[in-house]
PDB file of all heavy atoms in Angstrom:
ATOM      1  N   GLN A 568     -51.454  60.078  52.042  1.00 97.00           N
ATOM      2  CA  GLN A 568     -51.479  58.858  52.858  1.00 97.00           C
ATOM      3  C   GLN A 568     -50.120  58.344  53.275  1.00 97.00           C
ATOM      4  O   GLN A 568     -50.057  57.286  53.857  1.00 97.00           O
ATOM      5  CB  GLN A 568     -52.190  57.810  52.108  1.00 97.00           C
ATOM      6  CG  GLN A 568     -53.654  58.034  51.903  1.00 97.00           C
ATOM      7  CD  GLN A 568     -54.490  58.140  53.196  1.00 97.00           C
ATOM      8  OE1 GLN A 568     -54.484  57.077  53.852  1.00 97.00           O
ATOM      9  NE2 GLN A 568     -54.976  59.212  53.533  1.00 97.00           N
ATOM     10  N   ALA A 569     -49.067  59.113  52.900  1.00 97.00           N
ATOM     11  CA  ALA A 569     -47.684  58.493  53.260  1.00 97.00           C
ATOM     12  C   ALA A 569     -47.347  59.008  54.703  1.00 97.00           C
ATOM     13  O   ALA A 569     -46.264  59.528  54.938  1.00 97.00           O
ATOM     14  CB  ALA A 569     -46.734  59.159  52.260  1.00 97.00           C
ATOM     15  N   TYR A 570     -48.257  58.734  55.612  1.00 97.00           N
ATOM     16  CA  TYR A 570     -48.031  59.099  57.063  1.00 97.00           C
ATOM     17  C   TYR A 570     -47.740  57.848  57.805  1.00 97.00           C
ATOM     18  O   TYR A 570     -47.939  56.695  57.359  1.00 97.00           O
ATOM     19  CB  TYR A 570     -49.046  59.963  57.612  1.00 97.00           C
ATOM     20  CG  TYR A 570     -50.494  59.308  57.708  1.00 97.00           C
ATOM     21  CD1 TYR A 570     -50.893  58.668  58.884  1.00 97.00           C
ATOM     22  CD2 TYR A 570     -51.322  59.311  56.584  1.00 97.00           C
ATOM     23  CE1 TYR A 570     -52.037  58.122  58.999  1.00 97.00           C
ATOM     24  CE2 TYR A 570     -52.589  58.744  56.867  1.00 97.00           C
ATOM     25  CZ  TYR A 570     -52.992  58.092  57.982  1.00 97.00           C
ATOM     26  OH  TYR A 570     -54.186  57.491  58.130  1.00 97.00           O
ATOM     27  N   LEU A 571     -47.325  58.070  59.031  1.00 98.00           N
ATOM     28  CA  LEU A 571     -46.955  56.832  59.934  1.00 98.00           C
ATOM     29  C   LEU A 571     -48.341  56.263  60.410  1.00 98.00           C
ATOM     30  O   LEU A 571     -48.844  56.618  61.516  1.00 98.00           O
ATOM     31  CB  LEU A 571     -46.123  57.324  61.040  1.00 98.00           C
ATOM     32  CG  LEU A 571     -45.328  56.367  61.873  1.00 98.00           C
ATOM     33  CD1 LEU A 571     -44.166  55.810  61.008  1.00 98.00           C
ATOM     34  CD2 LEU A 571     -44.772  56.896  63.185  1.00 98.00           C
ATOM     35  N   LYS A 572     -48.798  55.417  59.650  1.00 97.00           N
ATOM     36  CA  LYS A 572     -50.128  54.845  59.933  1.00 97.00           C
ATOM     37  C   LYS A 572     -50.031  53.824  61.164  1.00 97.00           C
ATOM     38  O   LYS A 572     -49.025  53.069  61.223  1.00 97.00           O
ATOM     39  CB  LYS A 572     -50.713  54.081  58.734  1.00 97.00           C
ATOM     40  CG  LYS A 572     -51.145  55.011  57.632  1.00 97.00           C
ATOM     41  CD  LYS A 572     -51.886  54.241  56.568  1.00 97.00           C
ATOM     42  CE  LYS A 572     -52.451  55.131  55.453  1.00 97.00           C
ATOM     43  NZ  LYS A 572     -53.138  54.433  54.442  1.00 97.00           N
ATOM     44  N   PRO A 573     -51.034  53.845  61.963  1.00 97.00           N
ATOM     45  CA  PRO A 573     -51.069  52.873  63.065  1.00 97.00           C
ATOM     46  C   PRO A 573     -51.233  51.461  62.528  1.00 97.00           C
ATOM     47  O   PRO A 573     -51.589  51.269  61.337  1.00 97.00           O
ATOM     48  CB  PRO A 573     -52.253  53.288  63.998  1.00 97.00           C
ATOM     49  CG  PRO A 573     -53.064  54.122  63.053  1.00 97.00           C
ATOM     50  CD  PRO A 573     -52.185  54.705  61.959  1.00 97.00           C
ATOM     51  N   GLY A 574     -50.969  50.489  63.392  1.00 96.00           N
ATOM     52  CA  GLY A 574     -51.099  49.021  62.922  1.00 96.00           C
ATOM     53  C   GLY A 574     -52.384  48.658  62.311  1.00 96.00           C
ATOM     54  O   GLY A 574     -52.396  48.002  61.272  1.00 96.00           O
ATOM     55  N   TRP A 575     -53.467  49.055  62.894  1.00 96.00           N
ATOM     56  CA  TRP A 575     -54.752  48.653  62.340  1.00 96.00           C
ATOM     57  C   TRP A 575     -54.939  49.253  60.961  1.00 96.00           C
ATOM     58  O   TRP A 575     -55.550  48.591  60.045  1.00 96.00           O
ATOM     59  CB  TRP A 575     -55.959  49.101  63.296  1.00 96.00           C
ATOM     60  CG  TRP A 575     -56.097  50.553  63.378  1.00 96.00           C
ATOM     61  CD1 TRP A 575     -55.653  51.453  64.320  1.00 96.00           C
ATOM     62  CD2 TRP A 575     -56.907  51.405  62.454  1.00 96.00           C
ATOM     63  NE1 TRP A 575     -55.998  52.718  64.115  1.00 96.00           N
ATOM     64  CE2 TRP A 575     -56.834  52.785  62.990  1.00 96.00           C
ATOM     65  CE3 TRP A 575     -57.636  51.158  61.369  1.00 96.00           C
ATOM     66  CZ2 TRP A 575     -57.424  53.840  62.358  1.00 96.00           C
ATOM     67  CZ3 TRP A 575     -58.237  52.214  60.718  1.00 96.00           C
ATOM     68  CH2 TRP A 575     -58.211  53.517  61.243  1.00 96.00           C
ATOM     69  N   ALA A 576     -54.478  50.442  60.744  1.00 97.00           N
ATOM     70  CA  ALA A 576     -54.640  50.993  59.396  1.00 97.00           C
ATOM     71  C   ALA A 576     -53.702  50.348  58.353  1.00 97.00           C
ATOM     72  O   ALA A 576     -54.143  50.112  57.183  1.00 97.00           O
ATOM     73  CB  ALA A 576     -54.285  52.524  59.417  1.00 97.00           C
ATOM     74  N   MET A 577     -52.537  49.880  58.810  1.00 97.00           N
ATOM     75  CA  MET A 577     -51.694  49.129  57.827  1.00 97.00           C
ATOM     76  C   MET A 577     -52.321  47.795  57.533  1.00 97.00           C
ATOM     77  O   MET A 577     -52.196  47.252  56.432  1.00 97.00           O
ATOM     78  CB  MET A 577     -50.363  48.995  58.434  1.00 97.00           C
ATOM     79  CG  MET A 577     -49.462  50.343  58.531  1.00 97.00           C
ATOM     80  SD  MET A 577     -49.265  51.143  56.940  1.00 97.00           S
ATOM     81  CE  MET A 577     -48.227  49.957  56.018  1.00 97.00           C
ATOM     82  N   ARG A 578     -52.932  47.143  58.436  1.00 97.00           N
ATOM     83  CA  ARG A 578     -53.520  45.849  58.289  1.00 97.00           C
ATOM     84  C   ARG A 578     -54.709  46.025  57.284  1.00 97.00           C
ATOM     85  O   ARG A 578     -55.020  45.188  56.451  1.00 97.00           O
ATOM     86  CB  ARG A 578     -54.082  45.279  59.533  1.00 97.00           C
ATOM     87  CG  ARG A 578     -52.908  44.591  60.298  1.00 97.00           C
ATOM     88  CD  ARG A 578     -53.314  44.240  61.772  1.00 97.00           C
ATOM     89  NE  ARG A 578     -52.079  43.992  62.496  1.00 97.00           N
ATOM     90  CZ  ARG A 578     -51.623  42.844  62.647  1.00 97.00           C
ATOM     91  NH1 ARG A 578     -52.161  41.812  62.080  1.00 97.00           N
ATOM     92  NH2 ARG A 578     -50.405  42.664  63.337  1.00 97.00           N
ATOM     93  N   GLN A 579     -55.421  47.205  57.445  1.00 97.00           N
ATOM     94  CA  GLN A 579     -56.471  47.548  56.594  1.00 97.00           C
ATOM     95  C   GLN A 579     -55.965  47.613  55.072  1.00 97.00           C
ATOM     96  O   GLN A 579     -56.579  47.096  54.191  1.00 97.00           O
ATOM     97  CB  GLN A 579     -57.155  48.834  57.024  1.00 97.00           C
ATOM     98  CG  GLN A 579     -58.564  49.065  56.649  1.00 97.00           C
ATOM     99  CD  GLN A 579     -59.039  50.392  57.291  1.00 97.00           C
ATOM    100  OE1 GLN A 579     -58.352  51.454  57.294  1.00 97.00           O
ATOM    101  NE2 GLN A 579     -60.203  50.308  57.807  1.00 97.00           N
ATOM    102  N   VAL A 580     -54.874  48.280  54.916  1.00 97.00           N
ATOM    103  CA  VAL A 580     -54.290  48.404  53.559  1.00 97.00           C
ATOM    104  C   VAL A 580     -53.925  47.074  53.052  1.00 97.00           C
ATOM    105  O   VAL A 580     -54.175  46.715  51.909  1.00 97.00           O
ATOM    106  CB  VAL A 580     -53.039  49.287  53.673  1.00 97.00           C
ATOM    107  CG1 VAL A 580     -52.227  49.252  52.378  1.00 97.00           C
ATOM    108  CG2 VAL A 580     -53.316  50.739  54.026  1.00 97.00           C
ATOM    109  N   ALA A 581     -53.364  46.278  53.898  1.00 97.00           N
ATOM    110  CA  ALA A 581     -52.877  44.894  53.500  1.00 97.00           C
ATOM    111  C   ALA A 581     -54.087  44.070  53.056  1.00 97.00           C
ATOM    112  O   ALA A 581     -54.065  43.417  52.066  1.00 97.00           O
ATOM    113  CB  ALA A 581     -52.231  44.214  54.615  1.00 97.00           C
ATOM    114  N   ARG A 582     -55.218  44.094  53.841  1.00 96.00           N
ATOM    115  CA  ARG A 582     -56.391  43.351  53.432  1.00 96.00           C
ATOM    116  C   ARG A 582     -56.917  43.797  52.081  1.00 96.00           C
ATOM    117  O   ARG A 582     -57.253  42.939  51.224  1.00 96.00           O
ATOM    118  CB  ARG A 582     -57.474  43.605  54.492  1.00 96.00           C
ATOM    119  CG  ARG A 582     -57.320  42.786  55.735  1.00 96.00           C
ATOM    120  CD  ARG A 582     -58.696  42.658  56.521  1.00 96.00           C
ATOM    121  NE  ARG A 582     -59.282  43.934  56.720  1.00 96.00           N
ATOM    122  CZ  ARG A 582     -58.948  44.758  57.775  1.00 96.00           C
ATOM    123  NH1 ARG A 582     -58.061  44.383  58.669  1.00 96.00           N
ATOM    124  NH2 ARG A 582     -59.552  45.912  57.961  1.00 96.00           N
ATOM    125  N   MET A 583     -57.067  45.186  51.895  1.00 96.00           N
ATOM    126  CA  MET A 583     -57.551  45.581  50.585  1.00 96.00           C
ATOM    127  C   MET A 583     -56.665  45.162  49.429  1.00 96.00           C
ATOM    128  O   MET A 583     -57.097  44.834  48.385  1.00 96.00           O
ATOM    129  CB  MET A 583     -57.704  47.183  50.654  1.00 96.00           C
ATOM    130  CG  MET A 583     -58.808  47.679  51.544  1.00 96.00           C
ATOM    131  SD  MET A 583     -58.821  49.462  51.452  1.00 96.00           S
ATOM    132  CE  MET A 583     -58.612  49.875  53.083  1.00 96.00           C
ATOM    133  N   MET A 584     -55.374  45.251  49.716  1.00 96.00           N
ATOM    134  CA  MET A 584     -54.359  44.924  48.621  1.00 96.00           C
ATOM    135  C   MET A 584     -54.407  43.462  48.256  1.00 96.00           C
ATOM    136  O   MET A 584     -54.458  43.053  47.107  1.00 96.00           O
ATOM    137  CB  MET A 584     -52.965  45.356  49.137  1.00 96.00           C
ATOM    138  CG  MET A 584     -51.840  45.296  48.172  1.00 96.00           C
ATOM    139  SD  MET A 584     -51.092  43.712  48.323  1.00 96.00           S
ATOM    140  CE  MET A 584     -50.582  43.678  49.919  1.00 96.00           C
ATOM    141  N   VAL A 585     -54.542  42.622  49.293  1.00 96.00           N
ATOM    142  CA  VAL A 585     -54.548  41.176  49.010  1.00 96.00           C
ATOM    143  C   VAL A 585     -55.853  40.801  48.388  1.00 96.00           C
ATOM    144  O   VAL A 585     -55.950  39.931  47.475  1.00 96.00           O
ATOM    145  CB  VAL A 585     -54.388  40.303  50.305  1.00 96.00           C
ATOM    146  CG1 VAL A 585     -54.748  38.877  50.190  1.00 96.00           C
ATOM    147  CG2 VAL A 585     -53.002  40.509  50.858  1.00 96.00           C
ATOM    148  N   ASP A 586     -57.002  41.484  48.702  1.00 94.00           N
ATOM    149  CA  ASP A 586     -58.255  41.154  48.152  1.00 94.00           C
ATOM    150  C   ASP A 586     -58.359  41.365  46.653  1.00 94.00           C
ATOM    151  O   ASP A 586     -59.119  40.715  46.055  1.00 94.00           O
ATOM    152  CB  ASP A 586     -59.302  42.093  48.837  1.00 94.00           C
ATOM    153  CG  ASP A 586     -60.761  41.706  48.489  1.00 94.00           C
ATOM    154  OD1 ASP A 586     -61.141  40.603  48.812  1.00 94.00           O
ATOM    155  OD2 ASP A 586     -61.392  42.607  47.842  1.00 94.00           O
ATOM    156  N   VAL A 587     -57.694  42.363  46.076  1.00 93.00           N
ATOM    157  CA  VAL A 587     -57.813  42.666  44.654  1.00 93.00           C
ATOM    158  C   VAL A 587     -56.931  41.783  43.791  1.00 93.00           C
ATOM    159  O   VAL A 587     -56.931  41.900  42.553  1.00 93.00           O
ATOM    160  CB  VAL A 587     -57.557  44.107  44.349  1.00 93.00           C
ATOM    161  CG1 VAL A 587     -58.542  45.021  44.999  1.00 93.00           C
ATOM    162  CG2 VAL A 587     -56.111  44.485  44.695  1.00 93.00           C
ATOM    163  N   GLY A 588     -56.110  40.882  44.367  1.00 92.00           N
ATOM    164  CA  GLY A 588     -55.342  39.959  43.550  1.00 92.00           C
ATOM    165  C   GLY A 588     -55.631  38.518  43.866  1.00 92.00           C
ATOM    166  O   GLY A 588     -56.451  38.206  44.643  1.00 92.00           O
ATOM    167  N   THR A 589     -54.955  37.667  43.125  1.00 91.00           N
ATOM    168  CA  THR A 589     -55.069  36.214  43.363  1.00 91.00           C
ATOM    169  C   THR A 589     -53.781  35.781  44.026  1.00 91.00           C
ATOM    170  O   THR A 589     -52.720  35.817  43.390  1.00 91.00           O
ATOM    171  CB  THR A 589     -55.241  35.478  42.030  1.00 91.00           C
ATOM    172  OG1 THR A 589     -56.322  36.131  41.287  1.00 91.00           O
ATOM    173  CG2 THR A 589     -55.526  34.092  42.188  1.00 91.00           C
ATOM    174  N   HIS A 590     -53.943  35.358  45.243  1.00 91.00           N
ATOM    175  CA  HIS A 590     -52.707  34.984  45.943  1.00 91.00           C
ATOM    176  C   HIS A 590     -52.879  33.609  46.675  1.00 91.00           C
ATOM    177  O   HIS A 590     -53.951  33.095  46.772  1.00 91.00           O
ATOM    178  CB  HIS A 590     -52.477  36.094  47.055  1.00 91.00           C
ATOM    179  CG  HIS A 590     -52.247  37.406  46.552  1.00 91.00           C
ATOM    180  ND1 HIS A 590     -51.094  37.799  45.886  1.00 91.00           N
ATOM    181  CD2 HIS A 590     -53.025  38.583  46.474  1.00 91.00           C
ATOM    182  CE1 HIS A 590     -51.184  39.048  45.483  1.00 91.00           C
ATOM    183  NE2 HIS A 590     -52.343  39.510  45.834  1.00 91.00           N
ATOM    184  N   GLU A 591     -51.783  33.150  47.141  1.00 88.00           N
ATOM    185  CA  GLU A 591     -51.785  31.875  47.930  1.00 88.00           C
ATOM    186  C   GLU A 591     -52.503  31.961  49.146  1.00 88.00           C
ATOM    187  O   GLU A 591     -52.608  33.221  49.723  1.00 88.00           O
ATOM    188  CB  GLU A 591     -50.285  31.460  48.177  1.00 88.00           C
ATOM    189  CG  GLU A 591     -49.499  31.156  46.863  1.00 88.00           C
ATOM    190  CD  GLU A 591     -48.003  31.056  47.171  1.00 88.00           C
ATOM    191  OE1 GLU A 591     -47.664  31.216  48.324  1.00 88.00           O
ATOM    192  OE2 GLU A 591     -47.251  30.773  46.190  1.00 88.00           O
ATOM    193  N   ASP A 592     -52.991  30.967  49.663  1.00 91.00           N
ATOM    194  CA  ASP A 592     -53.590  30.936  51.002  1.00 91.00           C
ATOM    195  C   ASP A 592     -52.602  31.496  52.044  1.00 91.00           C
ATOM    196  O   ASP A 592     -51.463  31.221  52.056  1.00 91.00           O
ATOM    197  CB  ASP A 592     -54.012  29.620  51.427  1.00 91.00           C
ATOM    198  CG  ASP A 592     -55.142  29.047  50.568  1.00 91.00           C
ATOM    199  OD1 ASP A 592     -55.804  29.873  49.862  1.00 91.00           O
ATOM    200  OD2 ASP A 592     -55.433  27.815  50.536  1.00 91.00           O
ATOM    201  N   GLY A 593     -53.267  32.349  52.892  1.00 93.00           N
ATOM    202  CA  GLY A 593     -52.426  32.904  53.973  1.00 93.00           C
ATOM    203  C   GLY A 593     -51.449  33.975  53.607  1.00 93.00           C
ATOM    204  O   GLY A 593     -50.499  34.279  54.305  1.00 93.00           O
ATOM    205  N   ALA A 594     -51.743  34.543  52.363  1.00 95.00           N
ATOM    206  CA  ALA A 594     -50.757  35.604  51.949  1.00 95.00           C
ATOM    207  C   ALA A 594     -50.730  36.819  52.801  1.00 95.00           C
ATOM    208  O   ALA A 594     -49.626  37.433  53.047  1.00 95.00           O
ATOM    209  CB  ALA A 594     -51.234  36.008  50.544  1.00 95.00           C
ATOM    210  N   LEU A 595     -51.881  37.156  53.313  1.00 96.00           N
ATOM    211  CA  LEU A 595     -51.922  38.388  54.233  1.00 96.00           C
ATOM    212  C   LEU A 595     -51.050  38.168  55.468  1.00 96.00           C
ATOM    213  O   LEU A 595     -50.222  39.003  55.818  1.00 96.00           O
ATOM    214  CB  LEU A 595     -53.359  38.716  54.612  1.00 96.00           C
ATOM    215  CG  LEU A 595     -53.652  39.801  55.570  1.00 96.00           C
ATOM    216  CD1 LEU A 595     -53.167  41.060  55.071  1.00 96.00           C
ATOM    217  CD2 LEU A 595     -55.079  39.803  56.002  1.00 96.00           C
ATOM    218  N   GLU A 596     -51.273  37.047  56.100  1.00 96.00           N
ATOM    219  CA  GLU A 596     -50.556  36.769  57.352  1.00 96.00           C
ATOM    220  C   GLU A 596     -49.064  36.590  57.017  1.00 96.00           C
ATOM    221  O   GLU A 596     -48.244  37.060  57.868  1.00 96.00           O
ATOM    222  CB  GLU A 596     -51.181  35.605  58.076  1.00 96.00           C
ATOM    223  CG  GLU A 596     -52.479  35.784  58.636  1.00 96.00           C
ATOM    224  CD  GLU A 596     -52.595  37.071  59.474  1.00 96.00           C
ATOM    225  OE1 GLU A 596     -51.666  37.311  60.220  1.00 96.00           O
ATOM    226  OE2 GLU A 596     -53.587  37.827  59.283  1.00 96.00           O
ATOM    227  N   ARG A 597     -48.733  35.970  55.987  1.00 96.00           N
ATOM    228  CA  ARG A 597     -47.362  35.845  55.555  1.00 96.00           C
ATOM    229  C   ARG A 597     -46.655  37.163  55.392  1.00 96.00           C
ATOM    230  O   ARG A 597     -45.530  37.420  55.750  1.00 96.00           O
ATOM    231  CB  ARG A 597     -47.167  34.914  54.362  1.00 96.00           C
ATOM    232  CG  ARG A 597     -45.746  34.509  54.110  1.00 96.00           C
ATOM    233  CD  ARG A 597     -45.657  33.303  53.292  1.00 96.00           C
ATOM    234  NE  ARG A 597     -46.449  33.457  52.013  1.00 96.00           N
ATOM    235  CZ  ARG A 597     -47.556  32.825  51.657  1.00 96.00           C
ATOM    236  NH1 ARG A 597     -48.042  31.984  52.535  1.00 96.00           N
ATOM    237  NH2 ARG A 597     -48.253  33.076  50.523  1.00 96.00           N
ATOM    238  N   LEU A 598     -47.372  38.089  54.668  1.00 97.00           N
ATOM    239  CA  LEU A 598     -46.849  39.436  54.464  1.00 97.00           C
ATOM    240  C   LEU A 598     -46.521  40.108  55.746  1.00 97.00           C
ATOM    241  O   LEU A 598     -45.472  40.686  55.902  1.00 97.00           O
ATOM    242  CB  LEU A 598     -47.874  40.207  53.689  1.00 97.00           C
ATOM    243  CG  LEU A 598     -47.509  41.711  53.323  1.00 97.00           C
ATOM    244  CD1 LEU A 598     -46.266  41.729  52.378  1.00 97.00           C
ATOM    245  CD2 LEU A 598     -48.651  42.415  52.753  1.00 97.00           C
ATOM    246  N   LEU A 599     -47.435  40.095  56.653  1.00 97.00           N
ATOM    247  CA  LEU A 599     -47.318  40.784  57.936  1.00 97.00           C
ATOM    248  C   LEU A 599     -46.157  40.081  58.736  1.00 97.00           C
ATOM    249  O   LEU A 599     -45.370  40.677  59.443  1.00 97.00           O
ATOM    250  CB  LEU A 599     -48.597  40.825  58.719  1.00 97.00           C
ATOM    251  CG  LEU A 599     -49.655  41.648  58.046  1.00 97.00           C
ATOM    252  CD1 LEU A 599     -51.003  41.445  58.770  1.00 97.00           C
ATOM    253  CD2 LEU A 599     -49.333  43.126  57.949  1.00 97.00           C
ATOM    254  N   ARG A 600     -46.159  38.798  58.673  1.00 96.00           N
ATOM    255  CA  ARG A 600     -45.109  38.028  59.403  1.00 96.00           C
ATOM    256  C   ARG A 600     -43.719  38.312  58.937  1.00 96.00           C
ATOM    257  O   ARG A 600     -42.773  38.538  59.658  1.00 96.00           O
ATOM    258  CB  ARG A 600     -45.400  36.456  59.375  1.00 96.00           C
ATOM    259  CG  ARG A 600     -44.645  35.695  60.392  1.00 96.00           C
ATOM    260  CD  ARG A 600     -45.028  34.216  60.295  1.00 96.00           C
ATOM    261  NE  ARG A 600     -44.907  33.588  59.050  1.00 96.00           N
ATOM    262  CZ  ARG A 600     -45.845  33.103  58.331  1.00 96.00           C
ATOM    263  NH1 ARG A 600     -47.132  33.077  58.748  1.00 96.00           N
ATOM    264  NH2 ARG A 600     -45.643  32.560  57.106  1.00 96.00           N
ATOM    265  N   ASP A 601     -43.592  38.308  57.564  1.00 96.00           N
ATOM    266  CA  ASP A 601     -42.266  38.633  56.981  1.00 96.00           C
ATOM    267  C   ASP A 601     -41.820  40.099  57.328  1.00 96.00           C
ATOM    268  O   ASP A 601     -40.620  40.385  57.500  1.00 96.00           O
ATOM    269  CB  ASP A 601     -42.274  38.503  55.504  1.00 96.00           C
ATOM    270  CG  ASP A 601     -42.341  36.965  55.056  1.00 96.00           C
ATOM    271  OD1 ASP A 601     -42.131  36.169  55.976  1.00 96.00           O
ATOM    272  OD2 ASP A 601     -42.478  36.689  53.908  1.00 96.00           O
ATOM    273  N   THR A 602     -42.801  41.013  57.492  1.00 96.00           N
ATOM    274  CA  THR A 602     -42.414  42.370  57.787  1.00 96.00           C
ATOM    275  C   THR A 602     -41.952  42.371  59.236  1.00 96.00           C
ATOM    276  O   THR A 602     -40.850  43.045  59.478  1.00 96.00           O
ATOM    277  CB  THR A 602     -43.758  43.279  57.652  1.00 96.00           C
ATOM    278  OG1 THR A 602     -44.274  43.056  56.384  1.00 96.00           O
ATOM    279  CG2 THR A 602     -43.369  44.713  57.916  1.00 96.00           C
ATOM    280  N   GLU A 603     -42.595  41.712  60.107  1.00 95.00           N
ATOM    281  CA  GLU A 603     -42.148  41.620  61.507  1.00 95.00           C
ATOM    282  C   GLU A 603     -40.762  40.937  61.569  1.00 95.00           C
ATOM    283  O   GLU A 603     -39.909  41.384  62.409  1.00 95.00           O
ATOM    284  CB  GLU A 603     -43.185  40.782  62.302  1.00 95.00           C
ATOM    285  CG  GLU A 603     -44.484  41.360  62.574  1.00 95.00           C
ATOM    286  CD  GLU A 603     -44.508  42.350  63.749  1.00 95.00           C
ATOM    287  OE1 GLU A 603     -43.433  42.384  64.369  1.00 95.00           O
ATOM    288  OE2 GLU A 603     -45.559  42.905  63.996  1.00 95.00           O
ATOM    289  N   GLN A 604     -40.586  39.930  60.784  1.00 92.00           N
ATOM    290  CA  GLN A 604     -39.206  39.210  60.847  1.00 92.00           C
ATOM    291  C   GLN A 604     -38.101  40.081  60.369  1.00 92.00           C
ATOM    292  O   GLN A 604     -37.139  40.048  60.993  1.00 92.00           O
ATOM    293  CB  GLN A 604     -39.444  38.004  59.912  1.00 92.00           C
ATOM    294  CG  GLN A 604     -38.378  36.885  60.285  1.00 92.00           C
ATOM    295  CD  GLN A 604     -38.744  35.608  59.569  1.00 92.00           C
ATOM    296  OE1 GLN A 604     -39.508  35.545  58.713  1.00 92.00           O
ATOM    297  NE2 GLN A 604     -38.147  34.529  60.001  1.00 92.00           N
ATOM    298  N   LEU A 605     -38.403  40.886  59.393  1.00 93.00           N
ATOM    299  CA  LEU A 605     -37.336  41.774  58.844  1.00 93.00           C
ATOM    300  C   LEU A 605     -37.040  42.796  59.902  1.00 93.00           C
ATOM    301  O   LEU A 605     -35.819  43.146  60.145  1.00 93.00           O
ATOM    302  CB  LEU A 605     -37.697  42.383  57.525  1.00 93.00           C
ATOM    303  CG  LEU A 605     -36.563  43.242  56.911  1.00 93.00           C
ATOM    304  CD1 LEU A 605     -35.260  42.450  56.755  1.00 93.00           C
ATOM    305  CD2 LEU A 605     -37.004  43.686  55.547  1.00 93.00           C
ATOM    306  N   ALA A 606     -38.041  43.323  60.582  1.00 93.00           N
ATOM    307  CA  ALA A 606     -37.811  44.227  61.664  1.00 93.00           C
ATOM    308  C   ALA A 606     -37.024  43.624  62.776  1.00 93.00           C
ATOM    309  O   ALA A 606     -36.098  44.271  63.311  1.00 93.00           O
ATOM    310  CB  ALA A 606     -39.198  44.660  62.278  1.00 93.00           C
TER     311      ALA A 606
END
Side-chain angles (χ1 to χ4, degrees):
Chain A
Q568 292 295 298
Y570 65 94
L571 198 72
K572 288 188 176 179
W575 67 266
M577 289 305 292
R578 281 165 197 270
Q579 204 172 43
V580 171
R582 280 199 308 276
M583 288 184 240
M584 187 267 301
V585 169
D586 183 67
V587 295
T589 308
H590 299 288
E591 296 167 356
D592 290 344
L595 173 64
E596 290 312 316
R597 192 164 48 253
L598 175 67
L599 296 172
R600 194 175 58 239
D601 285 351
T602 308
E603 291 275 359
Q604 201 166 13
L605 185 52

